[in-house]
Amino acid sequence: MKYDFTTLVDRSEQGSGKWSGMKRKNFNVGKGIVPFSTADMEFKNAPEIAEGLKRYLDTHILGYTGPTPAYYEAVCAWMKQRHAWDIQPDWIVPTQGVVPALSWSVEAFCQPGDGVIVMPPVYGPFYGAIQNNSCEARRCNLLCENGVYSIDFDLLETLAAEEHTTLLLFCSPHNPVGRVWTPEELRRVGEICHRHGVRIVTDEIHFDLIMPGHTQTVFPNAVDFGSEIIVCTAPSKTFNLAAMATSNIIIPTEADRDAFRAVMRKYRAGNPAALGLEACRIAYTECAPWLDACIEAIWENYQTAKAFIEARIPQIGVAPLEGTYLMWLDCTALGKTPEELEALMVAHDLYFNQGTFFGPEGAGFVRFNLAAPKQIIEAALERLEQAVRSV
């Protein structure tokens, strides 16, 4: 089947969070202008999902509904086929999102005042998960050399050895810098944490979105104590299903599942809704060809953007994109404060995530969502060039 990655759907009246956010910044934004901020796609969904949900609605009653054996089978099969990862159905804890699962993990496995390691610049809600549970973020800032990011293992060792450091919130692939960690990097992180009794919760929500030439290794497959690692996954980024509010949190150890579910019960957090569970099942059983085509479209957009910026806006640095569909741009050479940088971009109808969303370490950077029709990316690059030339 040939899939459509060129049609732009006008989401301005569909309740889209990022489109509404764009309008708040510029109520009179012109027609055809697309935001490149929040990590959902401007690509049309796989047609198999819409067709499958229609069949479901024709044959099911929408009463109280929980996960079915078919759902669990689909998740297990996807992990095996796509990631060479053998999991059991009872390891899967369905939730309505990875972000709440991060907070519940901190609450379940930390005490107030404990230290939680993060690797900035990193996805903003990591900090909220820590702060909301009265814990302390212990920052193991990523190293950067010529735009390529790596882990500071010496600093990680120091932080892990500190008193009351109990948890690492890890991001794999890393959002926003786009790194796909190698098995050796994962093994070293795991060994350091294991040696110091630091539990690992890894956010792998982008783990299906891996660019050509790279291979994602789920963290448990890189170490010999994988049963101790909690892995947060979802079909939401992979298949553009964020509105379905369905995530699959993989917790191999029964005691850990019990602790995690106890926090869920505290907040009356139930299962995802029926349509979300079914959309997940359909995606994992029918939509792998769409995903492969989607990755090709994202990779083409990245290559186009990288070549354009290097040739015409060399003041901006481009981090190599190994995973995710999020390009990390270094705009520090423009000499702007974060507020000035955002104002410059908005003045040229460019609506990115500002780097400070990922921590103060992101000041002077922006994150550019490439999951949009190529012609939309090209038009944005032209406006970006105009913005830089106006400085």
Side-chain angles (χ1 to χ4, degrees):
M1 179 185 294
K2 183 173 176 57
Y3 296 106
D4 180 3
F5 296 101
T6 60
T7 298
L8 177 64
V9 176
D10 184 349
R11 301 171 67 196
S12 58
E13 304 299 328
Q14 295 185 0
S16 164
K18 67 180 179 182
W19 284 65
S20 297
M22 175 176 67
K23 275 204 162 186
R24 285 193 294 272
K25 292 177 181 177
N26 179 8
F27 183 77
N28 296 312
V29 64
K31 189 173 179 60
I33 299 296
V34 172
F36 302 101
S37 52
T38 304
D40 65 15
M41 301 183 187
E42 300 303 322
F43 296 139
K44 297 178 70 174
N45 287 106
E48 293 89 344
I49 291 173
E51 293 161 6
L53 290 178
K54 289 173 187 175
R55 291 193 303 270
Y56 183 91
L57 290 169
D58 284 340
T59 56
H60 286 66
I61 292 172
L62 298 179
Y64 292 112
T65 304
T68 63
Y71 156 80
Y72 287 112
E73 290 167 9
V75 175
C76 291
W78 183 261
M79 301 305 169
K80 175 67 173 178
Q81 295 162 7
R82 202 82 185 183
H83 297 283
W85 186 26
D86 288 305
I87 68 170
Q88 300 301 315
D90 61 356
W91 297 3
I92 303 166
V93 180
T95 74
Q96 295 180 13
V98 165
V99 170
L102 296 173
S103 285
W104 298 336
S105 296
V106 175
E107 182 167 350
F109 304 116
C110 299
Q111 296 297 319
D114 280 356
V116 179
I117 300 172
V118 291
M119 294 184 178
V122 73
Y123 183 50
F126 278 33
Y127 306 110
I130 296 166
Q131 294 163 1
N132 293 342
N133 289 290
S134 301
C135 290
E136 175 191 342
R138 297 188 174 168
R139 310 174 88 88
C140 184
N141 290 3
L142 295 177
L143 303 173
C144 184
E145 184 174 355
N146 298 321
V148 178
Y149 287 83
S150 60
I151 295 168
D152 187 337
F153 292 104
D154 291 337
L155 179 55
L156 178 61
E157 184 89 49
T158 298
L159 293 173
E162 288 182 355
E163 188 176 9
H164 301 304
T165 297
T166 54
L167 189 70
L168 165 66
L169 287 183
F170 194 68
C171 196
S172 178
H174 195 280
N175 173 16
V177 308
R179 273 299 316 277
V180 171
W181 306 115
T182 66
E184 172 61 17
E185 287 171 313
L186 295 172
R187 184 188 62 77
R188 289 186 68 185
V189 170
E191 288 179 348
I192 290 170
C193 290
H194 196 61
R195 182 159 55 247
H196 296 286
V198 174
R199 183 185 297 274
I200 298 169
V201 176
T202 175
D203 173 4
E204 305 205 8
I205 197 170
H206 290 96
F207 74 158
D208 294 315
L209 294 156
I210 306 302
M211 296 302 105
H214 299 277
T215 301
Q216 169 76 2
T217 301
V218 291
F219 207 138
N221 279 353
V223 296
D224 57 9
F225 52 90
S227 63
E228 300 175 20
I229 297 175
I230 294 170
V231 185
C232 301
T233 76
S236 53
K237 304 302 180 189
T238 307
F239 297 101
N240 206 28
L241 295 174
M244 292 286 99
T246 299
S247 296
N248 313 306
I249 313 304
I250 315 301
I251 309 178
T253 303
E254 184 176 7
D256 289 347
R257 289 195 300 276
D258 289 345
F260 184 87
R261 285 191 167 119
V263 177
M264 290 183 67
R265 287 194 297 273
K266 174 181 174 181
Y267 295 107
R268 304 286 199 274
N271 289 312
L275 292 184
L277 293 166
E278 179 62 7
C280 178
R281 188 199 66 77
I282 296 166
Y284 284 166
T285 57
E286 301 181 30
C287 298
W290 179 91
L291 174 59
D292 294 337
C294 180
I295 290 171
E296 289 180 8
I298 293 164
W299 182 241
E300 184 176 354
N301 283 351
Y302 170 70
Q303 291 177 303
T304 297
K306 182 174 183 290
F308 184 102
I309 291 170
E310 289 178 346
R312 294 169 57 173
I313 329 174
Q315 303 94 317
I316 292 179
V318 180
L321 185 66
E322 300 176 357
T324 82
Y325 48 74
L326 306 164
M327 186 167 65
W328 187 235
L329 299 181
D330 181 353
C331 303
T332 54
L334 302 183
K336 300 288 186 181
T337 67
E339 296 77 16
E340 291 169 340
L341 182 59
E342 181 171 28
L344 173 68
M345 296 302 173
V346 170
H348 290 82
D349 272 336
L350 293 165
Y351 304 89
F352 302 127
N353 274 124
Q354 292 301 307
T356 48
F357 175 75
F358 307 94
E361 298 83 359
F365 289 73
V366 298
R367 192 188 73 173
F368 186 168
N369 182 337
L370 295 173
K374 184 179 178 181
Q375 70 271 18
I376 301 300
I377 300 296
E378 291 172 331
L381 291 167
E382 296 283 352
R383 298 198 301 278
L384 182 59
E385 181 181 18
Q386 293 169 14
V388 173
R389 290 184 181 278
S390 73
V391 172

